[in-house]
Amino acid sequence: MSEQPVDYHLMWADLGLDLAAHDALLGAVGQLYNGTFLSQQNRPAGMGYLDFVMSEVHGLRIKELNDFRATGGKVVGTFCLYVPEEIIRAAGAWSVGLCAGAEFGYDKVEQIMPRNTCALIKSFMGFKLTSVCPYIESADLVIGETTCDGKKKAYELLGELHNVWVMELPQMKRDVDQAAWKAEIRELVAKMEELTGNAIGAESLAAAIKEVNGKRRALQRIAAARAADPAPISGKDSLLATQVAFYDDVPRFTQSMNTLADELDARVAAGEGVSAKGAKRILITGTPMALPNWKLHDIVEKAGAVVVGEEMCTGSRYYEDLVAEDGTTLDEMIDAVAKRYLGINCACFTPNSDRLADIVRLAKDLNADGVINCSLQFCGLYEMECKTVENAVRAAGLPALSITTDYSGEDAGQLSTRIEAFLEML
Ligand code: BJ8
């Protein structure tokens, strides 16, 4: 924690934030954080790093981004897993995941897009329209992607307010799609070279691949430790680690997460955990949980169970697969990046049966007692996959519960009741 809190209001004003609205947002997130995270018992000491990062989420990290920009560095904002961080870093730029996990400014959003739009899209548009997100205001470029129709159209609207560039993502994984995606990654290389003025070469891309793989390996270690009973870390804390991975300094984050993983290994060896041995173990799958969305994990864990894994973009889809490190030429490395990213199993693909296999495998590896499949309301893609997921989980001998929710707290009581009943029957 900062010994002497620094006043960042001048920096926020320079970024054009609405200071009153931003203060209100920070106050609400701070309160939510305390109630969700700091009230937990027996947390690993290594979580102190993430507590510190969160206490400075709009402070120190934004200052770092802006100091970097002052020396000519470029910051790139993203919303989706398909935008390869390795290419951004290879050009000498920094990548940050943009805030999209809280209800803010919906009154303004609903003036320009339908009310029945998913919360993730409404959230990022709300943050932009009300000028409360210092990350997007620090981003020299936002890279979108043609994953779902809602985001595709929202990027057109965002493009009227910010510098936005959109990657075309195929929706199938045939050879012809792989070739199109490789070409798209090459377009990204050219775009990043134009933005930064730096050429991407084999050396810089190899270094970026190693660096980002290192980050993913650290998260894999944390994920593996969660297979133990009792679980050495809560689902909330693990989710937070993945959420922070999107915007923290890469080498510093990797080092801190490896330290945390060392501690978790020691806890597992000592049979020490955050929950009682035998607590019900839940795998969560579904739409991503962008910062500061911790709602479902909080409900599950306050009901006495422990979340042992997330098959989602703020979970295994982010860290499970690495980019192959054996490429020697720039072309080989770009192909390896394209291959790794097209391997992500998002519901925007058809067919998407590999996601089902991932869910069942993770549930078994992590010794889950049940699976909760969570979709954001109005996300046609994930809502449409619900039944298939339920059937696959049940066929593997595990109970499944599907829920549809948003970012409001209005359904918290109803969700608690359903989740408690689900845990009862496990
Ligand atoms: S790779 S899950 S981050 S697209 S929830 S905005 S799909 S209507 S977020 Fe996603 Fe990339 Fe896929 Fe992951 Fe649309 Fe659905 Fe909203 Fe969504």
Side-chain angles (χ1 to χ4, degrees), residues 15-84:
L15 284 171
L17 298 194
D18 176 334
L19 295 181
H22 181 250
D23 282 351
L25 174 70
L26 272 195
V29 172
Q31 236 179 347
L32 181 65
Y33 191 81
N34 293 346
T36 308
F37 289 92
L38 303 185
S39 57
Q40 297 176 94
Q41 302 293 315
N42 200 21
R43 292 172 85 208
M47 284 307 297
Y49 174 72
L50 294 177
D51 288 339
F52 171 71
V53 169
M54 287 305 292
S55 71
E56 289 288 343
V57 66
H58 282 195
L60 190 59
R61 184 63 183 144
I62 298 300
K63 183 174 180 309
E64 288 177 345
L65 298 184
N66 286 288
D67 289 349
F68 175 62
R69 294 175 76 210
T71 62
K74 300 292 180 195
V75 172
V76 175
T78 64
F79 287 110
C80 177
L81 235 52
Y82 285 104
V83 181

Side-chain angles (χ1 to χ4, degrees), residues 125-399:
M125 281 307 290
F127 282 135
K128 179 64 194 177
L129 290 169
T130 53
S131 305
V132 293
C133 177
Y135 286 92
I136 194 161
E137 302 311 332
S138 301
D140 298 286
L141 176 70
V142 170
I143 302 183
E145 37 17 81
T146 56
T147 43
C148 71
D149 290 352
K151 277 208 274 189
K152 219 155 45 188
K153 290 289 124 183
Y155 293 138
E156 290 176 14
L157 298 170
L158 189 64
E160 292 171 14
L161 309 166
H162 207 95
N163 185 20
V164 174
W165 192 71
V166 177
M167 294 182 76
E168 163 75 337
L169 181 77
Q171 319 258 289
M172 294 177 83
K173 296 184 181 179
R174 303 159 306 179
D175 288 350
V176 65
D177 302 305
Q178 189 76 38
W181 181 235
K182 280 181 192 169
E184 198 62 22
I185 302 274
R186 286 186 169 82
E187 290 284 316
L188 176 65
V189 167
K191 181 70 187 175
M192 289 311 304
E193 289 181 337
E194 176 202 310
L195 179 76
T196 61
N198 300 327
I200 294 179
E203 206 178 315
S204 64
L205 186 51
I209 288 171
K210 277 209 173 70
E211 209 168 36
V212 178
N213 277 348
K215 169 165 66 166
R216 299 192 207 278
R217 283 193 185 99
L219 291 170
Q220 286 172 2
R221 291 187 59 203
I222 294 171
R226 297 168 76 189
D229 183 19
I233 183 169
S234 67
K236 279 188 271 206
D237 281 339
S238 314
L239 170 67
L240 182 67
T242 313
Q243 290 172 328
V244 169
F246 284 87
Y247 68 88
D248 198 12
D249 175 75
V250 177
R252 181 178 61 206
F253 176 81
T254 303
Q255 192 184 20
S256 302
M257 291 306 100
N258 275 317
T259 305
L260 174 62
D262 291 342
E263 185 186 355
L264 298 186
D265 290 346
R267 284 186 148 210
V268 171
E272 199 184 334
V274 281
S275 52
K277 195 171 165 59
K280 297 296 176 207
R281 304 167 62 85
I282 299 297
L283 176 80
I284 297 185
T285 176
T287 43
M289 295 176 176
L291 265 179
N293 177 13
W294 307 301
K295 177 169 138 178
L296 184 59
H297 282 61
D298 195 41
I299 292 174
V300 172
E301 296 196 329
K302 283 187 174 150
V306 60
V307 178
V308 292
E310 295 81 21
E311 188 285 318
M312 48 179 54
C313 292
T314 43
S316 60
R317 283 181 228 142
Y318 180 76
Y319 52 71
E320 262 205 344
D321 294 325
L322 305 177
V323 175
E325 291 181 13
D326 55 0
T328 50
T329 65
L330 183 63
D331 271 357
E332 283 172 2
M333 290 175 206
I334 290 175
D335 286 357
V337 169
K339 187 165 180 234
R340 185 265 171 204
Y341 279 83
L342 205 67
I344 298 167
N345 297 320
C346 172
C348 58
F349 280 85
T350 184
N352 192 32
S353 47
D354 287 351
R355 178 178 167 224
L356 307 177
D358 288 345
I359 295 168
V360 170
R361 173 180 48 81
L362 281 172
K364 300 235 150 138
D365 288 354
L366 296 166
N367 305 307
D369 298 304
V371 175
I372 298 182
N373 180 30
C374 177
S375 307
L376 280 176
Q377 192 180 19
F378 308 124
C379 173
L381 296 170
Y382 281 85
E383 287 193 277
M384 288 289 278
E385 279 195 3
C386 264
K387 274 285 157 234
T388 329
V389 168
E390 272 181 28
N391 292 342
V393 170
R394 289 185 184 134
L398 282 169

